[in-house]
Amino acid sequence: MTDKQINILMTAMKLFASLGFDGTSTKAIAKEAGVSEGLIFKHFKNKEGLLEAIINYGMEKASVYFAEVILISDPKKRIKKAISLPFTIDPNENQFWKLMYALKWKRGEYESAPLALFRASLVDAFEQLGYESPEMEATLIEVIIDGVATQILLKNIDAEPLLETILNKYSLKQ
Amino acid sequence: MTDKQINILMTAMKLFASLGFDGTSTKAIAKEAGVSEGLIFKHFKNKEGLLEAIINYGMEKASVYFAEVILISDPKKRIKKAISLPFTIDPNENQFWKLMYALKWKRGEYESAPLALFRASLVDAFEQLGYESPEMEATLIEVIIDGVATQILLKNIDAEPLLETILNKYSLKQ
DNA sequence: TAAATTTGTAAGTGATTACTCACTTTCAAT
DNA sequence: ATTGAAAGTGAGTAATCACTTACAAATTTA
């Protein structure tokens, strides 16, 4: 990946996140990135290929966060870390997640391998803690993460007290 | 609203929900609805007007659900009803909500008057119950509703046990 | 340094887009 | 029965779309 390629990628991500995939023309991307439109197709084959490159690039970074949760052995700490995830979104990566959440509603690829592992580690944690229905508890965590991410990305909510409130529900204030 | 107008509206909603607003052409809507393309513009002025008509039509129905929550005087029952909302989505209205949730990521009009009232009634309920931070508790309910709706609309999750798990967290099993 | 490969451009391409317009049909009110 | 408005059509429009292609500059390889 050359600097110019990453430049195109980041410009496209920014526009996709704010105007949507369909709402962003390759001409607009080229103009904003300061390159010719043809170069986009030379590097990324087509518009869909450009989107895939963005998703891969972002997911590579995102899987690090999932790994950080999975590798925690103490179940309570693992759950706490999982809940904290959406609260620690780097504002620089805001656009990427906005794009990802918007795409969820247009594509079937909601599930992914790293996400399945993440979920399994949550089920395991609740099992260790002797919860009644670990599967449902894991789903609830996913629900909360989805909902929190939505609120954080779309509204300007006060994140810290909300995190506290949630952690209290799980007696995780340690 | 004539039958033909509602026919156009419903057809457009179906296509918008599955292919997205930008991904659906007015020509496709006309063909699917069995009318001429020009008629769409005669009735709804432009494509954006068609979308607005869909949103208004759906929101009129949706505000009934919000009202059902607000009118409950017992705070515990009110909260329980609020949490239950996304679990009782009529499958016939599935497409409408899919469209609404997809649109959230493209438009600033996330907030609305009935939604503000709904939130206020939740804050009030938590205040009555003596919760430490009613505002944050209300936000958490919104988060859960958002997250549950997302999971229900995009995945085929087992709704009932999840609802049970959530209600348990609030000691609302009555 | 010569050749070959990669990087980049600018001007196209046909297809599709939202939307218009001149026109016809339907139909209720006088 | 006549009129006038509303409902409905379908061919057309300019603009925009993703993408191609012929060519030039830059960079790497031999």
Side-chain angles (χ1 to χ4, degrees):
Chain A
M1 273 286 208
T2 68
D3 288 355
K4 217 162 207 170
Q5 275 171 312
I6 291 180
N7 173 38
I8 293 173
L9 228 57
M10 292 308 176
T11 305
M13 184 172 72
K14 195 181 76 181
L15 293 175
F16 286 165
S18 59
L19 305 170
F21 179 72
D22 295 312
T24 306
S25 68
T26 50
K27 191 179 178 180
I29 297 167
K31 192 179 176 185
E32 180 82 8
V35 299
S36 68
E37 199 180 350
L39 190 60
I40 293 174
F41 293 91
K42 192 138 284 181
H43 281 319
F44 302 101
K45 190 179 178 186
N46 52 30
K47 199 184 173 185
E48 200 76 32
L50 180 57
L51 178 61
E52 274 170 33
I54 291 170
I55 293 174
N56 290 339
Y57 188 86
M59 272 313 196
E60 216 165 291
K61 290 189 170 187
S63 59
V64 175
Y65 299 123
F66 291 131
E68 276 174 11
V69 172
I70 295 172
L71 291 175
I72 295 172
S73 50
D74 180 66
K76 275 205 172 193
K77 284 182 180 168
R78 189 189 296 160
I79 292 167
K80 187 179 178 183
K81 182 80 174 177
I83 294 173
S84 305
L85 270 190
F87 290 95
T88 59
I89 296 176
D90 182 352
N92 297 329
E93 294 174 353
N94 227 295
Q95 285 165 335
F96 171 71
W97 288 111
K98 248 184 172 171
L99 175 58
M100 292 300 288
Y101 271 81
L103 282 174
K104 278 206 308 196
W105 299 92
K106 287 225 303 179
R107 310 171 55 133
E109 48 180 80
Y110 187 33
E111 356 268 323
S112 69
L115 209 108
L117 277 174
F118 174 75
R119 193 200 145 82
S121 81
L122 286 177
V123 175
D124 171 70
F126 282 113
E127 264 169 4
Q128 283 189 53
L129 293 174
Y131 271 67
E132 214 173 296
S133 37
E135 292 280 349
M136 281 305 120
E137 295 287 351
T139 301
L140 181 52
I141 298 290
E142 288 182 316
V143 160
I144 290 173
I145 289 176
D146 255 20
V148 167
T150 301
Q151 299 268 332
I152 287 180
L153 291 171
L154 289 181
K155 301 185 185 181
N156 294 19
I157 67 157
D158 201 1
E160 276 150 58
L162 177 60
L163 175 57
E164 196 113 322
T165 302
I166 297 173
L167 292 180
N168 272 335
K169 288 256 177 315
Y170 284 93
S171 316
L172 290 170
K173 267 182 69 178
Q174 71 168 352
Chain B
M1 278 277 211
T2 68
D3 287 356
K4 217 162 206 169
Q5 275 171 313
I6 291 180
N7 173 37
I8 293 172
L9 228 57
M10 292 308 177
T11 306
M13 185 174 71
K14 195 182 77 183
L15 292 176
F16 285 165
S18 60
L19 304 170
F21 179 72
D22 294 311
T24 306
S25 68
T26 50
K27 190 179 178 180
I29 296 167
K31 191 179 176 185
E32 180 81 8
V35 298
S36 69
E37 201 179 349
L39 188 60
I40 293 174
F41 294 92
K42 190 138 285 181
H43 281 319
F44 303 101
K45 189 176 178 186
N46 52 31
K47 198 183 173 185
E48 200 75 31
L50 180 57
L51 179 61
E52 273 169 34
I54 291 170
I55 293 174
N56 290 339
Y57 188 85
M59 272 313 196
E60 216 166 291
K61 290 190 169 186
S63 59
V64 175
Y65 299 124
F66 290 131
E68 276 175 10
V69 172
I70 294 173
L71 291 175
I72 295 172
S73 49
D74 180 67
K76 275 204 173 192
K77 283 181 182 169
R78 189 190 297 162
I79 293 166
K80 187 180 178 182
K81 182 79 174 177
I83 294 172
S84 306
L85 271 189
F87 290 95
T88 59
I89 296 176
D90 183 352
N92 297 328
E93 294 173 354
N94 227 296
Q95 285 165 337
F96 170 72
W97 288 111
K98 247 183 172 171
L99 175 58
M100 291 300 289
Y101 270 82
L103 283 173
K104 278 205 311 197
W105 300 93
K106 287 225 303 178
R107 321 182 88 203
E109 47 179 80
Y110 187 32
E111 356 268 324
S112 69
L115 209 107
L117 277 176
F118 173 75
R119 192 199 146 83
S121 80
L122 286 176
V123 175
D124 171 70
F126 283 113
E127 264 169 4
Q128 283 189 54
L129 293 173
Y131 272 67
E132 214 173 298
S133 36
E135 292 280 349
M136 281 306 120
E137 295 286 351
T139 301
L140 181 52
I141 297 290
E142 288 182 317
V143 160
I144 290 172
I145 289 176
D146 255 20
V148 168
T150 302
Q151 298 268 333
I152 287 180
L153 292 171
L154 289 181
K155 300 184 185 181
N156 295 19
I157 65 158
D158 201 1
E160 278 151 57
L162 177 60
L163 175 57
E164 195 113 324
T165 303
I166 297 173
L167 292 180
N168 271 334
K169 288 255 176 318
Y170 285 92
S171 316
L172 290 172
K173 266 182 69 177
Q174 73 171 350

